[in-house]
Amino acid sequence: MTEKKSESSGINKSLTSYGDPEFSKYIRRAFLASAGYDRDDLQRPIVGIADTSSDYNTCHRQMPEIIEAVKRGVLEAGGLPFVFPTLSLHEILMSPTTMLFRNLLAMVTEEMIRAQPMDAVVLVGGCDKTVPAQLMAAASVNLPAVSVVTGPMMTGSWQGQRLGACTDCRRFWGDHRAGKLDETQIAEVEQSLCTTAGTCMVMGSASTMACATEAMGMMLPGGATPPSGTGDRLRNAVASGRCAVDLTRNPRRPSDILTRASLLNGVTVLMAVGGSTNAIIHLAAIARRLGIDLSMDDFHEVAQRVPLLVDCKPAGSGYMEDLHRAGGVPVLLKQLEPLLDLSATTITGETLGQLLEHVPPAADWQSTIRSLDNPLGPTGALVTLRGSLAPDGAVIKAAAASAELMSHRGPAIVFESPEDAAERIDDPSLKITPDHVLVLRNAGPVAAGMPECGSLPIPRYLAEAGVRDMVRISDARMSGTAFGAVVLHCSPEAAIGGPLSLVRDGDMIELNVSQRRIDLLVDKAELERRRTEFVPPTLPDRGWQRLYAEHVTQAHQGADMDFLGATCKTLR
Ligand code: FES
C-alpha cells in the first residue's frame, strides 16, 4: 500500500540545498536506493524515531526493543520509519549534572527534526531530562509528535525489604553515614537497588514527567507507567508507531495539544502524584517555548486545590509498578476529573473528557490511587515560596519533608559551592546543630548548571545522633527521589547577585511554608553594604558550557536558553 506524497511532505521535505530542488530529490532517492528503498516505498508518510539510547544509559537499556516495536507499528499503519540518534542523558553517569545538557538535547532534537525529512516523530526517552527536552523540541518544531518512555524499573529486595532506586538509595546511604549499615551491608544493598532495565521506579523526575506528559495528551493513554521489559510497554510502543502514522494523515500538532489548559492538567497530575520539584522547571520551559504564561503562582493555585492521591515514594510508600497495576494515569485522571480541563485535545484526536468516558473508576482492591474524598495527603504537596531570599520564587516539596520544620527559624551556615559543602559538611568545628539552616549557593543555572545537590547531607555527627532532617536552602535542584525540608531553586541565583549571595554565617533565616515565605532576617542597610562586596564567580569560557552560562534563564523561567523562546525564529 502506498500513498502519493505532496511536493513538500515525506521524503521531499527538508531538502538539501543544492540550488536545484529536483536534483536534490533525485540524489536523495539515489542514496536511499542504496539502503533498499524504492520509489514506491518513498511515497509513504515518514515517521522519524528519536533514539536516546547509549551504553551509558541503563535507564534506556530496553530502548532498542522499544524502537523495534515502534517501527513495527509504523509499518503496520503504512508508514516508513527512520530512526535517528540524538543525545542520551543518564542522570547518574554524567558530570556535573544532566540539567546542563537538557537544553542541548532539546536543541539537537529540534534541529534533527527540522533538518531531516519526516511527517511525524516518535520521541523515545525516559531518564529524567530526556522527556522534557524532547517536549521542548516538539513544542518548537511543532511537527506532530508522540512521546514514548522506556518505563520504570521493577523493584528489588534486600533482607526481606522491598526497595528501589532511588528514594531507598538515599535512605540506606543515610543509614550507612549514621553507622547503622556496615560496608558489607551497603555493598549488598547496592546490588539490589536497580534490578532491571528502566527508569527510577519511584515518583522521581522521570516518572513525574512521564505521568504529566500522558496527562497533557502528548502520550497515548496508559503509556506512562508500564514497567520496562513488559509486554504492556512494548504494546504501547507499537500503538505509538501506529498513532504517529495517523498523525501524518490527520495532523494534530504540539501547539494543538500543549495549551495552557493541558499544561495545567499536567500540573494537576504533578501535585496529585506528589511529583518532583524538577517538573516545575521543565513545565515552565515547555510553556515558554509555546509562549504560554505559566507562572509560579499558577503552580501554587493548582497545589492549593489538588491533594496527594498516589501512594508512591518519596511522598508515599509504593512504587511505579503498583501505580501501573492500579490502572496507571488513566485511572488517576478519572479520580481527578472534576479538577481537570476535559476539553483539552490529545494526540488520539479525542479530548481528555472523551478519553475518560472509557476509563473505569479506581478499583476497590487497590489502595495506590486514592479518591478526592479519601486522599493520601493534603493539598500543597509542592509549595512555591517567595520572600527576601527568593524574590522571584523558590520551591519546597512539603509532602516529602518533616512537618515540624515547615515553620522554622535558625542561624545560617553558608557553603560557597557544592564542592565546599562536600569538603566541610562533616567538619565538627562548624558546630552545626539541628536548628541551623544549611545554605548552599553558586549551584544555580548560571553558576553550575543547577545540579541536584540541594538536599545536602545531614552532617555525619548529627546523623549519628539520630537527626534525619534539617532546613536546607539553595539555588540548586534536588532529585525527585529525595526527601527533606529542602528549599530549592532560589531565584535569582547567587551567581548573578541574588539575595542568597548576601547571606553570612549566623544570619537568621525564617522558613514559613504556610505563609509561603523564605526570608533573610537582616536589615536592609546591612544587605546593601554586603551587596557592594559581591564578586561574581568565574564562569566557563569555552564550548557549550560558555554558551549555556551566557544564555540560560533563571529557574522560574524554566532554565532554558534565552534564544529559544516562542518568538525566536529559525532559518527554515
Ligand atoms: Fe534515570 Fe533515575 S537515573 S530515571
Side-chain angles (χ1 to χ4, degrees):
M1 182 197 72
T2 61
E3 50 193 89
K4 191 84 179 139
K5 302 307 298 173
S6 80
E7 286 300 293
S8 59
S9 64
I11 206 66
N12 295 331
K13 281 188 75 176
S14 305
L15 286 176
T16 316
S17 184
Y18 290 121
D20 178 350
E22 292 310 311
F23 174 75
S24 298
K25 294 173 193 171
Y26 148 76
I27 198 169
R28 180 170 282 185
R29 290 192 298 268
F31 275 79
L32 285 168
S34 77
Y37 299 106
D38 61 24
R39 283 194 168 211
D40 201 37
D41 290 327
L42 299 178
Q43 295 295 316
R44 294 167 183 253
I46 294 180
V47 174
I49 303 172
D51 182 349
T52 54
S53 60
S54 156
D55 284 353
Y56 287 103
N57 198 332
T58 60
C59 297
H60 293 188
R61 183 160 63 79
Q62 203 210 358
M63 192 166 290
E65 194 180 10
I66 290 172
I67 284 178
E68 283 308 307
V70 174
K71 286 168 75 174
R72 181 152 62 82
V74 172
L75 289 167
E76 284 174 4
L80 195 59
F82 278 85
V83 181
F84 62 97
T86 54
L87 296 178
S88 189
L89 308 180
H90 187 265
E91 203 56 30
I92 311 298
L93 280 122
M94 295 191 76
S95 176
T97 168
T98 52
M99 189 61 184
L100 183 63
F101 305 103
R102 182 202 63 178
N103 300 344
L104 186 59
L105 172 56
M107 285 174 67
V108 168
T109 305
E110 174 183 343
E111 295 300 338
M112 290 303 98
I113 295 172
R114 283 190 202 283
Q116 300 172 123
M118 62 188 81
D119 301 298
V121 62
V122 179
L123 302 161
V124 192
C127 196
D128 292 14
K129 307 303 176 295
T130 55
V131 171
Q134 291 177 326
L135 291 179
M136 290 158 71
S140 293
V141 181
N142 206 25
L143 188 79
V146 181
S147 177
V148 171
V149 291
T150 53
M153 287 183 267
M154 303 288 280
T155 50
S157 73
W158 179 72
Q159 293 192 351
Q161 294 182 64
R162 190 181 182 213
L163 77 172
C166 238
T167 305
D168 297 318
C169 312
R170 296 170 197 282
R171 178 166 60 87
F172 282 110
W173 188 250
D175 287 347
H176 177 55
R177 277 178 59 82
K180 292 184 177 174
L181 288 184
D182 64 22
E183 286 297 337
T184 303
Q185 290 172 312
I186 197 70
E188 287 174 8
V189 168
E190 181 183 294
Q191 299 303 305
S192 309
L193 286 164
C194 306
T195 54
T196 68
T199 50
C200 291
M201 61 286 241
V202 295
M203 195 54 75
S205 300
S207 301
T208 303
M209 284 308 299
C211 293
T213 303
E214 184 178 332
M216 293 188 293
M218 288 294 290
M219 181 185 285
L220 285 180
T225 57
S228 192
T230 60
D232 285 354
R233 171 56 55 208
L234 293 176
R235 287 195 300 282
N236 167 264
V238 174
S240 298
R242 293 188 198 121
C243 174
V245 178
D246 179 57
L247 288 176
T248 69
R249 296 169 180 144
N250 305 290
R252 289 177 288 279
R253 297 178 182 277
S255 59
D256 300 321
I257 296 160
L258 291 170
T259 59
R260 180 171 160 83
S262 70
L263 283 163
L264 288 174
N265 286 343
V267 176
T268 301
V269 162
L270 163 64
M271 301 302 169
V273 301
S276 168
T277 48
N278 289 324
I280 294 178
I281 301 180
H282 299 322
L283 292 172
I286 293 163
R288 184 174 168 274
R289 293 279 180 129
L290 292 153
I292 295 171
D293 180 34
L294 188 71
S295 68
M296 297 292 275
D297 289 335
D298 287 319
F299 287 97
H300 170 68
E301 191 277 321
V302 175
Q304 287 309 295
R305 56 190 173 85
V306 181
L308 179 66
L309 294 192
V310 172
D311 185 8
C312 204
K313 290 187 176 187
S317 60
Y319 296 87
M320 286 299 287
E321 65 198 60
D322 305 324
L323 176 57
H324 182 58
R325 290 190 191 108
V329 173
V331 169
L332 173 62
L333 292 171
K334 189 77 176 174
Q335 303 294 75
L336 288 166
E337 209 165 4
L339 302 179
L340 297 168
D341 188 328
L342 301 176
S343 69
T345 304
T346 72
I347 51 170
T348 66
E350 291 192 294
T351 64
L352 184 60
Q354 289 168 325
L355 282 179
L356 292 182
E357 286 173 15
H358 316 303
V359 177
D364 292 345
W365 50 260
Q366 63 83 41
S367 58
T368 302
I369 304 174
R370 306 295 178 84
S371 62
L372 287 172
D373 51 17
N374 180 31
L376 184 72
T379 58
L382 299 183
V383 181
T384 53
L385 309 167
R386 285 187 205 272
S388 58
L389 258 184
D392 289 333
V395 63
I396 185 169
K397 188 172 188 172
S402 306
E404 66 273 17
L405 291 173
M406 295 299 89
S407 175
H408 180 82
R409 181 187 286 211
I413 289 278
V414 181
F415 299 97
E416 292 294 336
S417 65
E419 295 73 27
D420 181 37
E423 200 172 303
R424 296 196 297 130
I425 191 88
D426 291 331
D427 181 354
S429 71
L430 292 181
K431 295 187 170 50
I432 301 174
T433 70
D435 284 339
H436 272 95
V437 174
L438 305 178
V439 175
L440 169 65
R441 63 185 170 213
N442 295 316
V446 172
M450 235 184 157
E452 290 186 340
C453 55
S455 55
L456 288 170
I458 303 298
R460 188 183 294 276
Y461 48 92
L462 292 181
E464 287 171 350
V467 177
R468 284 290 173 271
D469 200 1
M470 292 175 66
V471 175
R472 290 155 272 182
I473 298 175
S474 72
D475 45 16
R477 297 176 302 118
M478 80 171 182
S479 166
T481 64
F483 50 88
V486 185
V487 177
L488 303 153
H489 313 176
C490 280
S491 185
E493 65 176 293
I496 61 169
L500 214 55
S501 67
L502 307 178
V503 186
R504 303 286 184 267
D505 282 349
D507 287 350
M508 293 304 286
I509 290 177
E510 182 164 21
L511 169 66
N512 189 325
V513 172
S514 65
Q515 301 281 316
R516 298 178 63 208
R517 297 288 306 179
I518 180 72
D519 288 298
L520 177 61
L521 307 180
V522 174
D523 71 64
K524 279 190 180 155
E526 171 60 13
L527 291 178
E528 284 312 311
R529 189 195 65 72
R530 291 180 189 177
R531 207 177 290 282
T532 63
E533 297 172 348
F534 172 68
V535 179
T538 307
L539 299 178
D541 61 3
R542 73 184 305 274
W544 169 249
Q545 294 195 17
R546 172 176 173 163
L547 192 66
Y548 189 89
E550 286 180 348
H551 292 280
V552 70
T553 62
Q554 289 295 286
H556 68 285
Q557 299 161 317
D560 196 4
M561 311 303 275
D562 56 12
F563 52 77
L564 292 174
T567 55
C568 304
K569 302 295 178 211
T570 68
L571 282 176
R572 296 176 295 278

